[in-house]
Amino acid sequence: MKLLRVGAKGAEKPAIIAEDGSIRDLSGVVSDIGGIALTPEGMARIRATDIDLLPRLDAGERIGPCVANVGKFICIGLNYADHAAETGAKIPDEPIIFMKATSAIIGPNDDVIIPKNAIKPDWEVELGIVIGKEARYVDQDNALDHVAGYCLINDISERHFQTERGGTWDKGKGCDTFGPIGPWLVTTDEVPDPQNLGMWLEVDGKRYQNGSTRTMIFGIAHVVSYVSQFMSLQPGDIISTGTPPGVGMGVKPEAVWLKPGNVMRLGIDGLGEQTQNVRAYGA
């Protein structure tokens, strides 16, 4: 299933993509795409619904973040061997965990705002894991049983804030609008091999990132299991799993940073595409 949320900010309706490509209203089935709706029981209720009988929604409406009321927005740093190499960083012995503020979350095609005093805004196409069943101290063999689905994420970063303002990556990761997610949450049955997905990102039509989830250092099952050793995971939590090479800070001979007027496009096989216009704060 491809689940999404459609409508104005703060007034999104839960929806599903029908076989004919139309968008159907799930409001009569679940209250939203998040929390209890993402549990095995919630997913079973959606699957038991005759989608063709649901009302159609306007395909031209805004698409919101594909998960509502995200409890935790967790990220894994330096999780692609080829990305670690381009940044000159040592491949980590264990997954690097940091948090992205949930207030950073926006829809997949909403504007991205460069924050005040930003110097080095950057992009990162990433695969997102959406939790569907509570996970606490799970082992790798059972980790994927706790996943409801996957989504596309742009883990936008301000590198000056991240690395030159006293440490703690969260400063450069959690700015408002720095977390576009969606367009869809794609359930696990439609993603048979999440470790073999092509992913790409362009800025103003120039392709900078062109990678694959094959080059992850720590795979999806490892990541879910590992994070669950340090904090419980609840339905609707999101884990962003790292980015392949081609970020702005890795461009040679000189880094490239986002600026007002840029347009980012990005996508992952089977998970859809995003497009964001970049604006200055207050513009």
Side-chain angles (χ1 to χ4, degrees):
M1 298 185 291
K2 292 182 175 67
L3 305 175
L4 68 163
R5 303 173 64 249
V6 175
K9 184 177 180 180
E12 296 93 346
K13 292 182 178 180
I16 189 170
I17 304 293
E19 287 291 330
D20 63 2
S22 61
I23 301 173
R24 302 302 181 105
D25 188 353
L26 279 174
S27 298
V29 182
V30 294
S31 60
D32 213 334
I33 305 299
I36 194 169
L38 299 178
T39 64
E41 297 76 18
M43 289 292 194
R45 184 176 182 183
I46 296 173
R47 286 193 174 93
T49 301
D50 188 340
I51 303 303
D52 292 335
L53 298 180
L54 296 176
R56 291 175 181 254
L57 294 173
D58 183 355
E61 280 198 80
R62 169 186 175 268
I63 297 177
C66 60
V67 181
N69 302 314
V70 175
K72 292 190 287 295
F73 196 174
I74 304 159
C75 299
I76 306 300
L78 294 174
N79 195 30
Y80 282 68
D82 35 11
H83 171 56
E86 77 170 342
T87 62
K90 176 182 176 291
I91 290 178
D93 297 322
E94 297 186 39
I96 296 170
I97 299 174
F98 63 92
M99 309 293 281
K100 204 170 176 81
T102 56
S103 53
I105 293 173
I106 58 172
N109 304 313
D110 291 343
D111 290 349
V112 166
I113 310 301
I114 295 177
K116 291 174 69 173
N117 304 313
I119 297 173
K120 301 176 179 179
D122 204 349
W123 57 82
E124 295 188 10
V125 59
E126 303 203 4
L127 173 70
I129 303 168
V130 182
I131 300 298
K133 187 169 95 174
E134 186 175 63
R136 184 182 287 109
Y137 301 117
V138 299
D139 56 40
Q140 289 191 46
D141 290 342
N142 298 303
L144 296 186
D145 295 340
H146 297 262
V147 176
Y150 303 97
C151 66
L152 172 62
I153 296 174
N154 191 353
D155 175 22
I156 299 160
S157 312
E158 211 298 336
R159 304 299 187 186
H160 178 65
F161 294 176
Q162 178 186 352
T163 63
E164 301 171 45
R165 294 290 302 272
T168 68
W169 287 11
D170 306 53
K171 288 184 210 173
K173 296 286 190 171
C175 304
D176 290 352
T177 76
F178 273 24
I181 64 171
W184 318 305
L185 183 164
V186 182
T187 52
T188 55
D189 56 299
E190 292 198 13
V191 189
D193 186 2
Q195 299 294 170
N196 188 27
L197 300 176
M199 52 205 308
W200 55 272
L201 183 144
E202 299 174 351
V203 180
D204 294 343
K206 179 176 179 177
R207 183 156 299 195
Y208 285 94
Q209 293 191 272
N210 198 17
S212 170
T213 57
R214 290 192 305 271
T215 66
M216 276 187 188
I217 299 166
F218 306 105
I220 291 160
H222 187 142
V223 164
V224 173
S225 173
Y226 186 85
V227 173
S228 79
Q229 309 306 309
F230 302 95
M231 64 193 81
S232 62
L233 298 169
Q234 281 81 39
D237 285 351
I238 294 176
I239 306 175
S240 199
T241 55
T243 196
V247 297
M249 69 181 296
V251 175
K252 301 294 189 292
E254 186 177 351
V256 175
W257 308 117
L258 290 169
K259 59 184 185 296
N262 285 153
V263 178
M264 290 182 283
R265 288 186 61 241
L266 57 150
I268 296 179
D269 293 347
L271 302 185
E273 298 184 7
Q274 302 181 355
T275 302
Q276 294 114 24
N277 294 310
V278 179
R279 294 196 292 111
Y281 180 82

